[in-house]
Amino acid sequence: GNDAAAGTRAAPWKSFARAQTAAAAGDTIYFRGGRYAYTDATSPCASRTASVDGVTLNKSGREGAPIRYVAYEGETPVFDFSGMKIDCRGRGGHVSASWIHLRGLEEMGAPQNNNLNHESWGIWITGSHNVFERLNLHHNMGPGLFIAEGGHNLVLNSDSHRNFDPLTSNGAGESADGFGSHSKAP
């Protein structure tokens, strides 16, 4: 794809960020199968203990009209964050928006490249009223999906596996769960 394209099936966009820019409440964004490799975060590390995102979803839908990000029928889009060259905590995706629906996506490789932090995260959630359906989250250096804040989030028929944190401040393998939640509802 090309982010200067029309965003149609014949002329798709390249990035998640460009799709989010165009999305409005009630829209569905389809991702075609293939590997979406990330080498840069959306911002630089402010410190070695800071957190940065590969993808930031901060544009909300609304009740009855979520913004849907879904796999194209019969295809598997793989968002690979293992190539992010960072020296802080990595979040593959950070969902701070509300009324978002992710379905049929695969996410992998959120990095943790130093031992100053407990873990990194595949998907970090701070928004509310979101649905995470049929996700395949794996090989992250921390939990595949972690609900940190917000409320009324639904995780449905999703898998999180082979996550391991070899570089962590509390000992190798101590913080890479499949799913986690330390949520404080708004």
Side-chain angles (χ1 to χ4, degrees), residues 13-81:
W13 293 313
K14 181 178 181 178
S15 72
F16 218 125
R18 176 63 180 97
Q20 179 181 229
T21 299
D27 284 350
T28 300
I29 304 295
Y30 292 97
F31 287 93
R32 299 304 302 257
R35 183 173 170 260
Y36 297 78
Y38 287 79
T39 56
D40 297 312
T42 58
S43 63
C45 295
S47 72
R48 294 186 74 205
T49 56
S51 298
V52 295
D53 307 331
V55 171
T56 303
L57 292 177
N58 56 10
K59 187 175 190 181
S60 296
R62 66 176 186 273
E63 185 173 7
I67 299 174
R68 294 173 184 87
Y69 299 96
V70 303
Y72 193 82
E73 187 66 37
E75 298 184 15
T76 304
V78 179
F79 297 91
D80 183 353
F81 300 100

